[in-house]
Amino acid sequence: MYKNVQFGASVTKYDVKDLNTSLERMRAANAMFYTIPGPKMLWEFGELGYDISINQCDDGTNNSNCRVNAKPVKWSYKQEGARETLLDYVSDLIKLRRQYKVFTEGTAIFSGGTALVKQVAIKNSPYTASPTDATQMNAHVIANFDVTEANASIGFVHAGTWYNYYTGTSVEMTGTSLSVLLSPGEFMIFTDVPVKTIW
């Protein structure tokens, strides 16, 4: 978040340095971060878009020698609407991760895209191309970290029905490739078993 507001790119009508835009982009980053299996650590108010440098010194300057200095506690973030929305979103991702083992025990396969369009297929362990319930579920996440629209081809791990976690809509795949147009900062999470979101 600090890098977003300090160094973020911009084009006409889309500025990563804008607080609300930056907070929305943190949703995409968290979608990638929390769905990929492996240990995770949330750093100081990251779920609220903490935008203080990890290198901030007591006097407010930044220096790598201050990396472990105490940082300001931003309790006021909880009362800021866009930050509270990010908190709710991150909470939902952590619940998703805790409820479905694919996000903790699966195998991540990074593929395709460009430097700014990222995607990861997550295969359950053991893998099956025809899951019958959520314990066998596979997932796919894609995000556009560019400041312009991007055409992307999602490479699912198998044909069949895939469900968009946030919209609840499904897509019937006869093959494994789906072309999508992603807005700047847009992301999608797909599963091959329908799961309910609180989002």
Side-chain angles (χ1 to χ4, degrees), residues 124 127-138 158-159 161-163 191-194:
N124 210 330
Y127 169 73
T128 178
S130 52
T132 57
D133 60 42
T135 65
Q136 300 174 331
M137 180 173 76
N138 302 290
H158 63 76
T161 306
W162 287 85
Y163 303 88
T191 59
D192 55 4
V193 172

Side-chain angles (χ1 to χ4, degrees), residues 80-116:
E80 296 178 28
R83 291 184 190 274
E84 189 171 15
T85 298
L86 178 61
L87 170 64
D88 292 342
Y89 171 76
V90 171
S91 297
D92 181 60
L93 278 175
I94 292 171
K95 287 176 188 171
L96 181 73
R97 180 179 172 80
R98 290 178 60 201
Q99 189 168 356
Y100 300 104
K101 74 180 184 81
V102 67
F103 299 114
T104 55
E105 299 175 19
T107 301
I109 304 162
F110 299 90
S111 62
T114 67
L116 296 173

Side-chain angles (χ1 to χ4, degrees), residues 26-187:
M26 291 307 299
R27 291 175 57 195
N30 280 291
M32 283 288 176
F33 181 70
Y34 286 112
T35 56
I36 296 170
K40 306 295 178 209
M41 185 173 90
L42 182 65
W43 187 72
E44 192 165 358
F45 298 104
E47 72 280 15
L48 290 163
Y50 193 69
D51 50 6
I52 304 295
S53 170
I54 194 170
N55 294 321
Q56 182 170 303
C57 302
D58 297 337
D59 64 2
T61 62
N62 291 330
N63 184 307
S64 60
N65 293 329
C66 298
R67 196 168 189 83
V68 295
N69 286 27
K71 304 298 183 259
V73 177
K74 298 288 193 171
W75 293 114
S76 60
Y77 281 1
K78 182 71 170 80
Q79 281 70 51
E80 296 178 28
R83 291 184 190 274
E84 189 171 15
T85 298
L86 178 61
L87 170 64
D88 292 342
Y89 171 76
V90 171
S91 297
D92 181 60
L93 278 175
I94 292 171
K95 287 176 188 171
L96 181 73
R97 180 179 172 80
R98 290 178 60 201
Q99 189 168 356
Y100 300 104
K101 74 180 184 81
V102 67
F103 299 114
T104 55
E105 299 175 19
T107 301
I109 304 162
F110 299 90
S111 62
T114 67
L116 296 173
V117 176
K118 305 289 185 188
Q119 62 179 304
V120 60
I122 309 161
K123 286 181 159 183
N124 210 330
S125 181
Y127 169 73
T128 178
S130 52
T132 57
D133 60 42
T135 65
Q136 300 174 331
M137 180 173 76
N138 302 290
H140 197 96
V141 184
I142 187 166
N144 177 14
F145 293 102
D146 205 342
V147 293
T148 58
E149 288 183 336
N151 286 304
S153 178
I154 300 174
F156 293 113
V157 293
H158 63 76
T161 306
W162 287 85
Y163 303 88
N164 185 316
Y165 178 65
Y166 290 108
T167 65
T169 58
S170 63
V171 59
E172 277 296 327
M173 299 295 300
T174 54
T176 58
S177 182
L178 175 67
S179 293
V180 293
L181 178 64
L182 297 170
S183 300
E186 186 177 5
F187 62 97

